[in-house]
Amino acid sequence: MSEISDLTKSIANFANRRDWNIFHTPKNLAMAITGEAGELAAEFQWLTPEQASAVSGERLKAIELEIADIGIYLMRLCDVLDIDLKKAILDKIEINEKRFPPIK
Amino acid sequence: MSEISDLTKSIANFANRRDWNIFHTPKNLAMAITGEAGELAAEFQWLTPEQASAVSGERLKAIELEIADIGIYLMRLCDVLDIDLKKAILDKIEINEKRFPPIK
Amino acid sequence: MSEISDLTKSIANFANRRDWNIFHTPKNLAMAITGEAGELAAEFQWLTPEQASAVSGERLKAIELEIADIGIYLMRLCDVLDIDLKKAILDKIEINEKRFPPIK
Amino acid sequence: MSEISDLTKSIANFANRRDWNIFHTPKNLAMAITGEAGELAAEFQWLTPEQASAVSGERLKAIELEIADIGIYLMRLCDVLDIDLKKAILDKIEINEKRFPPIK
């Protein structure tokens, strides 16, 4: 089984064992992604580009946790909408390949 | 090589061939994630929970593309910050396991 | 009548005349704000701080429209939740005054 | 002087007295708005539409504070970009009037 489906199943199992499926509707999960994306942005908002590129220690750990939250809700949303995240990403890269011709 | 690192490399390669690495700073990528998360939210914002759970056709396709965009920028951000997305997600699930004891 | 209540009434009137009140629930409006905030972020995401501070012409106009959208949904949300935006802002400034003592 | 310019000046004055102007660039403020919008979304994300429409007490107070934060950063952004928020909103309503003809 693939890495992404493994993670997706762990996340689904986590929700199942807490009876949280009732909360994990597509609309609520989309909203949760904006919430976590906002928290990720908040980690960077007052940093200069240089500071943001050199984050480390506590802040890097906090950023990692926000990234994990976004990944978790994104995989959960794919699960409840029956979307194949890997295929969706590959399809989008292909679309972008045509829209933005490479320069090298 | 793993599925997530494969996707991450395809995304990095796509950026490289367009000289877009200069734009892909952590701060800019975090901002891009909020932008795509906002577009995902916009797909659902006026739908009832029932309509949101039954999305199909054109709207489902649009949602899939927004999800792909979030996934792409999330993997790109992990790449530039040298974060292991799979490990970050598994660590976060473990933290959540302790914070929210399962009821079954 | 105050400027903010005038704007709030114009926005409510606009919604009324389209039978859009049914869509303007607190949850949907909060989601719409994240959507518009994401679009605002998208205008700035690939700009350097210097470019972002010097926006003009078409981009400045686009930014102005996104700002207006956020303001519209924010006032609409205050309206449906019966929140006094001016008072909320003044109260928050007062809280911040205590949390962050001025240095001059 | 108008209500919105009064608030805008109080916010600018607050920043001035803490030497925070250096942080309040257009890009950073746009990012801060997505952060606060995400926190607002987080207050509503797991609520049913009915629960969201009936928020009260502690949660309503928390929502009010998030709304205030968005309002503060929105006015600050207008200030640094020299945008007239009231005019921007009225212009946008006029555009919307043409795009979406009223039904009554």
Side-chain angles (χ1 to χ4, degrees), chain D residues 5-82:
Chain D
S5 10
D6 276 351
L7 289 169
T8 302
K9 287 202 178 148
S10 298
I11 297 163
N13 186 40
F14 181 92
N16 273 333
R17 288 169 50 230
R18 283 151 187 85
D19 275 346
W20 283 358
N21 286 326
I22 195 174
F23 299 114
H24 289 177
T25 64
K27 182 161 175 157
N28 290 3
L29 289 165
M31 210 165 183
I33 290 170
T34 66
E36 300 300 338
E39 289 187 33
L40 176 66
E43 292 293 333
F44 287 109
Q45 67 198 12
W46 308 127
L47 305 185
T48 63
E50 293 71 30
Q51 291 168 331
S53 297
V55 283
S56 65
E58 285 303 298
R59 192 182 292 272
L60 181 57
K61 191 66 208 164
I63 288 164
E64 199 174 313
L65 292 173
E66 299 306 342
I67 285 174
D69 281 330
I70 298 172
I72 286 169
Y73 287 131
L74 195 68
M75 289 181 189
R76 189 82 188 111
L77 179 58
C78 287
D79 197 11
V80 301
L81 285 176
D82 203 17

Side-chain angles (χ1 to χ4, degrees), chain B:
Chain B
M1 204 170 58
S2 92
E3 200 178 17
I4 292 176
S5 6
D6 276 353
L7 288 169
T8 303
K9 288 204 176 145
S10 298
I11 296 163
N13 187 40
F14 180 91
N16 275 332
R17 288 168 51 231
R18 282 152 187 86
D19 276 345
W20 284 357
N21 287 327
I22 196 176
F23 299 114
H24 288 178
T25 65
K27 182 161 174 156
N28 290 3
L29 289 165
M31 211 165 181
I33 290 170
T34 66
E36 300 300 339
E39 288 187 34
L40 177 65
E43 292 293 334
F44 288 108
Q45 65 198 14
W46 308 127
L47 305 185
T48 63
E50 294 71 29
Q51 290 168 332
S53 297
V55 283
S56 65
E58 284 304 297
R59 191 182 291 269
L60 181 58
K61 191 67 209 163
I63 288 163
E64 198 174 314
L65 292 172
E66 299 305 344
I67 285 173
D69 281 330
I70 298 171
I72 286 169
Y73 287 131
L74 195 68
M75 289 180 187
R76 190 82 186 110
L77 179 59
C78 287
D79 198 10
V80 302
L81 285 176
D82 203 18
I83 285 172
D84 179 333
L85 179 58
K86 180 184 173 178
K87 190 182 170 305
I89 289 177
L90 290 174
D91 287 354
K92 188 62 202 280
I93 293 176
E94 207 178 302
I95 292 171
N96 285 346
E97 282 287 351
K98 285 168 197 155
R99 276 176 65 193
F100 307 103
I103 59 170
K104 61 186 187 187

Side-chain angles (χ1 to χ4, degrees), chain A residues 2-4 14 16-19 27 34 37 45 47 53 68-69 86 88 92 96-97 100 102-104, chain B residues 2-4 14 16-19 26-27 34 37 45 47 53 68-69 86 88 92 97 100 102-104:
Chain A
S2 92
E3 198 178 18
I4 292 175
F14 180 91
N16 274 331
R17 287 168 51 229
R18 283 151 187 86
D19 276 345
K27 182 160 175 157
T34 66
Q45 66 198 12
L47 305 184
S53 297
D69 281 330
K86 180 183 173 179
K92 188 61 202 282
N96 285 346
E97 282 287 351
F100 307 103
I103 59 172
K104 62 185 185 188
Chain B
S2 92
E3 200 178 17
I4 292 176
F14 180 91
N16 275 332
R17 288 168 51 231
R18 282 152 187 86
D19 276 345
K27 182 161 174 156
T34 66
Q45 65 198 14
L47 305 185
S53 297
D69 281 330
K86 180 184 173 178
K92 188 62 202 280
E97 282 287 351
F100 307 103
I103 59 170
K104 61 186 187 187

Side-chain angles (χ1 to χ4, degrees), chain C residues 18 27 47 69 92 100, chain D residues 18 27 47 69 92 100:
Chain C
R18 283 151 187 87
K27 182 159 175 158
L47 305 184
D69 281 330
K92 188 61 201 281
F100 308 103
Chain D
R18 283 151 187 85
K27 182 161 175 157
L47 305 185
D69 281 330
K92 188 61 201 282
F100 307 102

